[in-house]
Every structure is written in C-alpha cells, then in structure tokens.
Amino acid sequence: MRTAIAGLDVHVSHDDVAGRDVLLWHHGSPQTGAILPPVQSAADARGLAVVSVARPAYALSARIPGRTVADVAAGLHPVLEALGVASVVSVGASGGGPHALACAAAMPNLVHRVVTFASPAPFDGTEEWFAGMQAPQALRASAEGELARRRFAEIDEFDPDSFVDADYAALQGEWASLGADVGASAEYGDEGLIDDDLAFARPWGFDLADVAASVLLVQGERDRVIPPQHARLLAAALPNATLQTHPGDGHVSVLRHLAAAL
C-alpha cells in the first residue's frame, strides 16, 4: 500500500499495521522509498510489518529546504502515529543509517532497537572523516555549502570503483531490486540526494549519547563508500551499541546480513 501522510510518500506492507510491530526502513541515498523484496522477506521471517517512507524531496515527498537528520525523524513521528504502530525496529542502510538513529533519539518510547548498515558517522570537520572513500567529492562539496553541492551535481558521475566485486554480485542477485530502485529514483531529480548530503555534512540535530535504544552497527570491512572507520566512530559514541564487521563485504553486499541482523 502506498499513501501520503503528513506530506510524505509512505509505503506500507499491509493495509492495516495498527497495533503491529514494524520494521521502519530508512532507504539509502538515492532511492524512492519503495519496499524492496529482500527487506520484505527479512521482515516476514520475523513477523514484522514494513513501513518505508521516502525522505523529503525523494519521490513524492515534499521538500524541506535546509533539513537536518533530526528534522526527518520528527517528520516521521506523525506518520507512525497515524498508522498506529505498536513498536519499531528502526533499520537504515547507508544514508538511511543516521535517520534510523535519529528516530531512536526522537521516539524512545516507540523505537527500542536500531540496525544500521554502512552508516556514515557525524561529520567532524576533519580530513580523516573522508579517508578511505573512493569518491568523496559530493560530501566534500556539501561541507562547503549548498551552492558548492549543487555545482557538483552538474558534473557528478558514479565511480564504478566505489563498489567491490561482492557489491556487484549482490546487485546481480538478491539485491538487484536496490539497483533498479536507485535507477527509478532518477526520474524525481537530485533534490533528495543533495539534501541528504548537506544534512550529513552539518550537525545532525541530536546527540548520539541520547540514543538509549540497543543499536547493531553492521559494516563491511571492504566498503569504499562509507569506510569502516565510520562504524567504529558510531560505536564509540553510542551508549548501547554492538559493532558487527564482515571482512568480505563492501557497501551493498553487507545488506545480505539483514535477515540475520533482525
């Protein structure tokens, strides 16, 4: 089911999720917010319904200029309230990771567990934050401000070396739907991706120390998009975090561990 709630493009796995435990999926950057088959399959195996929401400026969700990571979480509160869900496992992949954590900080009575895959850590203004990224140009431009990020968008191209062989294997197999969804997101333009990058390069609007929920950080050691150091920074800053690393995985292939993580 797809519907509009509070200006956001909302996808729900069941017609009625009131009173149910749900997996709140925070998509990567860029995607449409559609529920991907492997996400649905992993949730089904644990008896969870799925709610996936396109962040502002993605798909049919209204843009919020200057949004922070915390702003996105605040916008999800009325969505979950309208749906009447009982509890939430907040799960974020890549650019969805910070937003999964923000929901736990914003809604501690509803979100008791968080799982992130290849999540960036808060930007600290140092050169070390970019270390190990195959193509950091978009985030470097974002650190300079919106004008610089928009100028970069005019020449931005995906660097195929950002993915390792395991990533390409995942995109040709179980996670083929992710690649297709990234392609589908292009018809909506770059606004969502630009706003995400800008949000990652400014203060997130909440303190990681305020995330009381249990957090599982899942990270591929071969990740060239969000390097492993980011997961280690998150683990050090979160009060109740477990770091799980996978030596053979990159940025996409680490998602193969979703079912086990749940």
Side-chain angles (χ1 to χ4, degrees), residues 33-261:
I35 298 174
L36 305 178
V39 175
Q40 183 69 68
S41 177
D44 287 344
R46 295 294 180 269
L48 299 169
V50 180
V51 175
S52 180
V53 183
R55 286 191 291 279
Y58 281 111
L60 302 180
S61 291
R63 183 174 183 245
I64 302 176
R67 64 172 162 89
T68 65
V69 173
D71 290 336
V72 173
L76 290 173
H77 193 192
V79 173
L80 298 172
E81 195 170 60
L83 293 172
V85 306
S87 71
V88 170
V89 181
S90 188
V91 184
S94 188
H99 300 94
L101 293 166
C103 282
M107 297 174 274
N109 293 331
L110 193 61
V111 181
H112 302 288
R113 304 192 191 287
V114 180
V115 184
T116 70
F117 294 85
S119 174
F123 180 58
D124 59 9
T126 69
E127 184 63 26
E128 286 75 17
W129 192 83
F130 300 103
M133 295 183 183
Q134 175 66 28
Q137 297 91 331
L139 289 170
R140 287 187 184 279
S142 297
E144 297 176 16
E146 183 172 352
L147 180 59
R149 180 60 182 87
R150 290 190 177 280
R151 284 175 174 166
F152 178 73
E154 297 174 2
I155 60 170
D156 188 14
E157 291 185 2
F158 175 70
D159 184 341
D161 289 334
S162 295
F163 289 167
V164 298
D165 52 356
D167 294 325
Y168 286 110
L171 287 169
Q172 292 169 3
E174 179 186 359
W175 287 91
S177 57
L178 187 151
D181 191 63
V182 170
S185 72
E187 72 175 271
Y188 298 102
D190 294 330
E191 292 298 319
L193 176 59
I194 291 171
D195 285 348
D196 266 0
D197 284 349
L198 291 168
F200 301 147
R202 63 168 64 104
W204 286 4
F206 71 100
D207 194 328
L208 290 175
D210 294 333
V211 179
S214 172
V215 180
L216 177 62
L217 306 163
V218 187
Q219 178 70 40
E221 288 285 0
R222 298 174 65 201
D223 195 329
R224 297 176 181 174
V225 179
I226 302 297
Q229 61 164 327
H230 284 253
R232 289 189 271 273
L233 289 169
L234 288 170
L238 290 161
N240 192 19
T242 299
L243 174 57
Q244 181 184 101
T245 60
H246 295 277
D249 285 314
H251 193 66
V252 178
S253 64
V254 74
L255 289 169
R256 295 183 296 192
H257 304 284
L258 172 59

